[in-house]
Amino acid sequence: MVGLLRRFVPVLLLAYLAVGLSASPGEACPFCTDRGQTLNEEVSLASMVIFGDPRNADLAKDTTDLKIEVVVKDHKARNKKLGVIKLSRYIPPAEDGKQYKYLVFFDVFEKKMDAYRGVNLKPDSKLPEYLRRARAVKDKPLAERLRFFFDYLDSDDLDVASDSYKEFGNTDYKDYRGVAKTLPADRVVRWLKDPNTPSMRFGLYASMLGHCGKEKDSAILKHLLDDPDHRAGSGVDGVFAAYVMLKPKEGWKYLTDVLKDNKQDFIVRYAALRAVRFLHDYRTDLVSKKDLVAGSCLLLSQDDIADLAIEDLRKWQCWDKANQVLALRGTPVYNKMPIVRRAMLRYCLSCPANAAAKAYVAERRKADAEGVEEAEELLKLEVESARPAKK
């Protein structure tokens, strides 16, 4: 399915490559699939956050009493003697007939408390207490904060587990790396072996093990990679990378064997390519840049992924591979896949000092001037999107 989608939405993918993939490394956890604003960040932005039981809802007056149970974040405007806050909002009974309590976010202006957001939670939710405790470490060093969130990753409360996972997802690898070395490997191994662990978490957990585990722990990673069900799921790039971390020589051979096997599913080879990108951007202490570039080049002959390999060679400024890229002309890959031809054009536009690349651009400009201009515009857009925002 992925391969089919990539064939039928080339323009959309082109824009994604020009803007989305141009993001600099280090913006967030490379193996996490859930990022964005966490509830802890939302709490920090609010003036006050209260968890409580809604009572005496009055539709006519548009009010509801909130019986306070947990004060996640307090404000001096609240009367501490009262155990109830009257909300200027009507909270209707739940449509499913179940009982819910609410996490309510307040703005405070001129001593007036305005409830601007409410999140309905099960009565026994652990989220309010988790958020209250997180407030206590919010100003601590990053290592201490991440260690706090680590202990909640396997919470049986999905809201808590998801929010703590997102905290890792928002952390730059360079900051996360030092913390990961100190984590308890036995606990991470247990998560990786647990059949109930969500597949989206395998990338992060494997990465953790790659840092805090020992060589013997590579066996669980290889088991996951050998399992067809696991290798077709999310997070496989993190498992590939972690295998290389724990056993560089064996792990890299395993990775390159996958890259050059065009019979492997696209999703598996793409995960392997993502692992190569990670190693190139962060861990050339494990595999040399020369070998990593060579690994990416193994994909050039594969019609469903060659364009992504060319894009990486361009971003890595591997201009010495121009002849290898241009050698695709006349091959089935080049003839069948317009997206490959566009990737080759962008590569050649980016290395005009190379005579063969310059000649190819001139040839394409004569045959399709509009297409070349479009590629040039996308490259300019990519450069502009990579520039730091002005303060």
Side-chain angles (χ1 to χ4, degrees), residues 195-295:
N196 295 317
T197 295
S199 61
M200 64 177 288
R201 293 177 173 241
F202 277 98
L204 174 62
Y205 293 168
S207 171
M208 289 176 174
L209 188 62
H211 291 87
C212 67
K214 300 187 183 304
E215 188 174 310
K216 65 180 179 61
D217 295 317
S218 64
I220 179 64
L221 300 174
K222 187 174 185 301
H223 172 75
L224 291 171
L225 292 171
D226 288 341
D227 184 341
D229 292 332
H230 277 294
R231 72 187 301 165
S234 61
V236 183
D237 51 347
V239 184
F240 277 126
Y243 189 21
V244 176
M245 289 183 214
L246 293 181
K247 296 190 78 172
K249 185 175 180 181
E250 293 85 344
W252 178 242
K253 182 181 184 306
Y254 192 104
L255 188 55
T256 53
D257 284 346
V258 170
L259 288 168
K260 65 187 177 185
D261 183 3
N262 62 6
K263 293 182 181 179
Q264 296 278 352
D265 286 344
F266 169 84
I267 197 69
V268 177
R269 285 174 288 128
Y270 181 54
L273 176 60
R274 285 175 55 84
V276 171
R277 291 172 178 169
F278 164 77
L279 294 167
H280 180 277
D281 291 339
Y282 302 106
R283 300 303 304 270
T284 52
D285 58 312
L286 299 171
V287 182
S288 70
K289 282 196 174 185
K290 179 181 178 181
D291 287 341
L292 291 165
V293 169

Side-chain angles (χ1 to χ4, degrees), residues 292-313:
L292 291 165
V293 169
S296 187
C297 286
L298 293 172
L299 301 173
L300 290 176
S301 62
Q302 301 173 27
D303 60 6
D304 60 347
I305 201 170
D307 59 299
L308 299 183
I310 296 171
E311 286 293 330
D312 284 339
L313 294 176

Side-chain angles (χ1 to χ4, degrees), residues 52-68:
D53 188 2
R55 300 180 176 186
N56 306 321
D58 190 322
L59 178 59
K61 295 181 179 179
D62 195 21
T63 60
T64 304
D65 291 339
L66 185 71
K67 184 177 183 300
I68 300 171

